[in-house]
Amino acid sequence: MLAKITSAATAGLAAVPIEVEVDVASRGLPSLSIVGLPDKAVEEAKERVRAALHNSGIDFPPRRITINLAPADIPKEGPAYDLPIALGILLASGTIEADLANSLFVGELSLDGTVRYVHGVLPMAIMAREEKLTSCFVPIANASEAAVVSGITVLPVASIKQLINHLTGVATIEEQSHRRFEDLKQQIQSDFDMVDVHGQETAKRALEIAAAGGHNMFMRGVPGSGKTMLARTFPTILPDLTEEEAFEVSKIYSISGQLPIDQALILERPFRSPHHTTSRVGLIGGGSQPKPGEISLAHRGVLFLDEFPEFPRHVLEGLRQPIEDGVVSISRAAGSMQYPSKFCLIAAANPCPCGYYTSKKRACICSAGDINRYQKKVSGPILDRIDLHVEVPEVEVDKLTAKKATGEVSVTIKERVERARRQQRQRLKKTRLLTNAEMSTKQVKIFCQVDDVCRKLLTQAVEKLGLSARSYFKTIKVARTIADLAGEKEISLNHVAEALSYRPSSVFG
């Protein structure tokens, strides 16, 4: 007898339907085989399903059982097929009868029959809605994650026995109520605030511009000047995630297995700070079966790379295409995947190996050759892709020992940033862009018109500072963001002049 159960597999950030076909033959020696490009975890489902059914008091049919995961050309990985495989065996053997044509089933089985948490349920639930399925049976630990998707009935399954009782009418599983994004939103609490950063007004201003326009920023300064503190406070001035952005980010975390079990959606903008020993695959993504890296986990948030020159050069060079395109393409023999990577890059570095080359308080012990080699660890093309370059000097003693903070709190800066973002959304509403930093050269020419006076200053800057074509257009985009923060419709000379002040005066900054 043949049974068909609908399950799902993740491909990139999307999910695709997988049909679990189970055939229980009336003849042949007892056996169980799985076909359809299963990985080791799927192969091991044979033993988990057998033990789960036995320990749940259900007889495992002593027949020749063949399981096909279709389409057969898509690699299947992970234990999410345990539940549909077990259900298919029960249906094909005649142990139970049920019409499951419009239902999706995913879940890992424990040996005692309980259903465990699996990765990627959010994109699977979205796929189920798009495929016009009416119900989605998921592990009870994934129920809140699936319930954020409207238009589909989510049924949390605690055990295979409970599912069988539901399908046979013995006891009904209570539906998980839909969770609206507005109800999930909460006041975000942070241990950091801009008011706690003493001095560094220039760096704070640059961070405000970066937050308003989604720009990348590079900070260079001596140890202890506050670079890490500034980066940590940066998320506190970023606008809250919109519903669309929250779903984008949550899908990445769901597939990566980093979505907290007790959390339906990622509600805060991500802040990723990988160590400088991180591999290229860890940062960019990849592997034999491509998975998102740190740059995709930082999507719509912040990627902070401290000790920037200490990252291996080949790792940093991998950032070129994602920074430009906002998406990373990973090609492997098993397939090609695309993951979004629209993040704000905040990079920090010391001016030399010992860190005190620009210090006024301590002498640098590095030779000229050491300094030159250290600064050349970061290539010019990477630095050219960074919009704002800021020197972070040592904190003055009077500001450090002041009893009362003199700067603005993050909430005040965040309000200005949100106003600037609203202006950008209004200007770019006919495109799919959200920030000034995402504009292409063609869009800069359309939305960032400059007058003759500004154009003359830019021409002089190109000649004297040696700006590249990329730097030229990045300067205009930063000027547009500065104008947005000021609430002005046109880019003026002051906006261009300030934007030029954030361009590096040398190759390293």
Side-chain angles (χ1 to χ4, degrees), residues 372-410:
N372 188 47
R373 280 190 296 273
Y374 182 78
Q375 294 183 351
K376 284 187 176 181
K377 284 184 177 181
V378 183
S379 69
I382 289 293
L383 292 174
D384 198 41
R385 284 168 167 79
I386 298 178
D387 310 66
L388 305 164
H389 295 251
V390 179
E391 194 76 30
V392 184
E394 293 163 309
V395 183
E396 297 175 8
V397 177
D398 56 339
K399 292 182 178 180
L400 190 62
T401 57
K403 293 182 179 180
K404 188 176 180 180
T406 57
E408 292 181 298
V409 295
S410 291

Side-chain angles (χ1 to χ4, degrees), residues 105-401:
F105 294 85
V106 291
E108 176 187 350
L109 288 177
S110 297
L111 298 186
D112 61 357
T114 57
V115 182
R116 288 180 170 174
Y117 175 89
V118 294
H119 302 164
V121 165
L122 178 58
M124 291 177 185
I126 295 173
M127 181 276 297
R129 181 182 62 184
E130 293 171 349
E131 294 291 323
K132 303 295 190 291
L133 300 179
T134 56
S135 55
C136 187
F137 291 82
V138 301
I140 195 168
N142 291 105
S144 60
E145 177 185 347
V148 299
V149 181
S150 60
I152 189 168
T153 301
V154 176
L155 296 163
V157 182
S159 67
I160 184 67
K161 187 68 175 178
Q162 182 196 32
L163 178 59
I164 293 171
N165 290 338
H166 172 81
L167 296 176
T168 56
V170 175
T172 304
I173 296 176
E174 186 177 348
E175 176 186 344
Q176 179 80 20
S177 58
H178 173 58
R179 307 190 69 182
R180 298 170 64 248
F181 177 72
E182 292 75 13
D183 299 332
L184 293 171
K185 290 180 69 175
Q186 56 189 11
Q187 188 65 36
I188 298 172
Q189 301 293 330
S190 176
D191 295 331
F192 302 95
D193 196 287
M194 278 292 179
V195 74
D196 298 324
V197 181
H198 298 278
Q200 309 301 5
E201 300 306 324
T202 301
K204 289 180 186 178
R205 171 63 175 172
L207 284 174
E208 181 179 343
I209 296 169
H215 302 289
N216 301 319
M217 179 172 164
F218 177 77
M219 296 182 288
R220 185 180 69 167
V222 300
S225 57
K227 302 185 295 296
T228 301
M229 181 69 171
L230 286 163
R232 291 284 180 182
T233 57
F234 183 61
T236 65
I237 64 173
L238 288 171
D240 295 333
L241 283 172
T242 64
E243 183 173 1
E244 182 181 357
E245 290 174 329
F247 268 87
E248 284 181 15
V249 175
S250 299
K251 283 197 292 184
I252 299 171
Y253 278 72
S254 177
I255 288 170
S256 303
Q258 299 194 38
L259 183 66
I261 294 178
D262 59 345
Q263 192 171 330
L265 287 175
I266 298 293
L267 301 173
E268 300 180 30
R269 291 194 180 270
F271 182 89
R272 307 294 298 186
S273 180
H275 193 260
H276 62 259
T277 56
T278 301
S279 68
R280 183 186 176 93
V281 171
L283 187 66
I284 309 300
S288 57
Q289 297 293 337
K291 294 294 183 183
E294 289 290 337
I295 62 173
S296 294
L297 293 169
H299 180 60
R300 298 299 181 191
V302 183
L303 178 67
F304 176 48
L305 300 183
D306 201 5
E307 305 297 339
F308 200 45
E310 298 298 339
F311 282 82
R313 191 182 182 102
H314 73 279
V315 173
L316 293 182
E317 293 304 308
L319 290 172
R320 288 195 195 184
Q321 181 251 340
I323 290 176
E324 286 289 295
D325 301 338
V327 64
V328 57
S329 300
I330 302 169
S331 296
R332 296 291 184 270
S336 180
M337 299 291 179
Q338 279 196 338
Y339 295 107
S341 57
K342 293 181 178 178
F343 55 87
C344 285
L345 171 64
I346 305 296
N350 295 323
C352 66
C354 79
Y356 297 101
Y357 177 55
T358 58
S359 174
K360 297 178 180 178
K361 300 178 181 179
R362 294 183 61 173
C364 174
I365 60 173
C366 303
S367 66
D370 291 336
I371 297 171
N372 188 47
R373 280 190 296 273
Y374 182 78
Q375 294 183 351
K376 284 187 176 181
K377 284 184 177 181
V378 183
S379 69
I382 289 293
L383 292 174
D384 198 41
R385 284 168 167 79
I386 298 178
D387 310 66
L388 305 164
H389 295 251
V390 179
E391 194 76 30
V392 184
E394 293 163 309
V395 183
E396 297 175 8
V397 177
D398 56 339
K399 292 182 178 180
L400 190 62
T401 57

